[in-house]
C-alpha cells in the first residue's frame, strides 16, 4: 500500500517560512494527484493545496492563497509545500495525501472539499508562534 511520509514541520516565528516535503516509500507518486491538508487543535481538517499528477494544475484554499506554493519533482518522487508569511493561525498538523486522478481534468474544488484522496501520511507539526 502506498505510504506517504511528510517532513519539514517546525516551530517558526510569525512572518517566517517553512518548506514541507512529502515522499513515498516503494511507490512512485507521478500518477497521483497530491495534496496537503491541515488540522488545528479543535478544528476540522482543511484542504490546503493540491497539484495535478504532472504539476500543471494547482489549487489553493483562500486562507493560504498568495502565501503558499505547492510543487512537485516527479524525478525525485517529491512534493513540496512552500509556506511563506506564516501566521499563528497556520499552526496545525499538516498531512500529505494522494489520490488517483478523477479524469482528464483537474477539478481543484473537488479535492479542496476533501474528496478523492485514498492515501495519507501521518502528519508533520507546524507551529507559528513568537
Amino acid at each position: 500500500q502506498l505510504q506517504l511520509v511528510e517532513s519539514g514541520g517546525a516551530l517558526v516565528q510569525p512572518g517566517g517560512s517553512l518548506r514541507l516535503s512529502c515522499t513515498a516509500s516503494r511507490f512512485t507518486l507521478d500518477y497521483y494527484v497530491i495534496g496537503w491538508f491541515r488540522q488545528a487543535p479543535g478544528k476540522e481538517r482543511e484542504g490546503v493545496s493540491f497539484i495535478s499528477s504532472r504539476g500543471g494544475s494547482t489549487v489553493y484554499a483562500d486562507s493560504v492563497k498568495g502565501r503558499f506554493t505547492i510543487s512537485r519533482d516527479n524525478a525525485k518522487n517529491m512534493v513540496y509545500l512552500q509556506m511563506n508569511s506564516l501566521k499563528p493561525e497556520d499552526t496545525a498538523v499538516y498531512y500529505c495525501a494522494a489520490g488517483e486522478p478523477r479524469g482528464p481534468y483537474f477539478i481543484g474544488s473537488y479535492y479542496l472539499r476533501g474528496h478523492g484522496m485514498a492515501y495519507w501520511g501521518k502528519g508533520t507539526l507546524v507551529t507559528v508562534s513568537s
Side-chain angles (χ1 to χ4, degrees), residues 2 28-34 51-53 72 98-101 119:
L2 178 61
T28 57
L29 296 177
D30 56 2
Y31 170 71
Y32 296 95
V33 172
I34 305 295
I51 188 166
S52 60
S53 57
R72 66 191 301 161
E100 295 189 6
Y119 306 101

Side-chain angles (χ1 to χ4, degrees), residues 10-109:
L11 170 64
V12 62
Q13 292 187 343
S17 298
L18 277 178
R19 188 177 79 160
L20 304 184
S21 300
C22 174
T23 190
S25 57
R26 302 193 305 274
F27 285 87
T28 57
L29 296 177
D30 56 2
Y31 170 71
Y32 296 95
V33 172
I34 305 295
W36 291 93
F37 291 82
R38 67 185 181 185
Q39 187 164 22
K43 295 190 175 181
E44 293 187 355
R45 186 181 66 196
E46 173 189 19
V48 175
S49 183
F50 295 82
I51 188 166
S52 60
S53 57
R54 296 184 179 182
S57 298
T58 59
V59 65
Y60 298 91
D62 287 343
S63 56
V64 306
K65 203 172 292 183
R67 299 187 299 122
F68 290 12
T69 303
I70 191 170
S71 62
R72 66 191 301 161
D73 186 338
N74 285 340
K76 295 182 178 180
N77 210 37
M78 297 291 293
V79 176
Y80 306 102
L81 185 68
Q82 178 66 42
M83 307 186 295
N84 299 328
S85 302
L86 284 161
K87 305 175 181 180
E89 51 263 43
D90 294 318
T91 296
V93 177
Y94 284 71
Y95 299 91
C96 179
E100 295 189 6
R102 191 166 180 252
Y105 304 107
F106 178 81
I107 304 176
S109 58

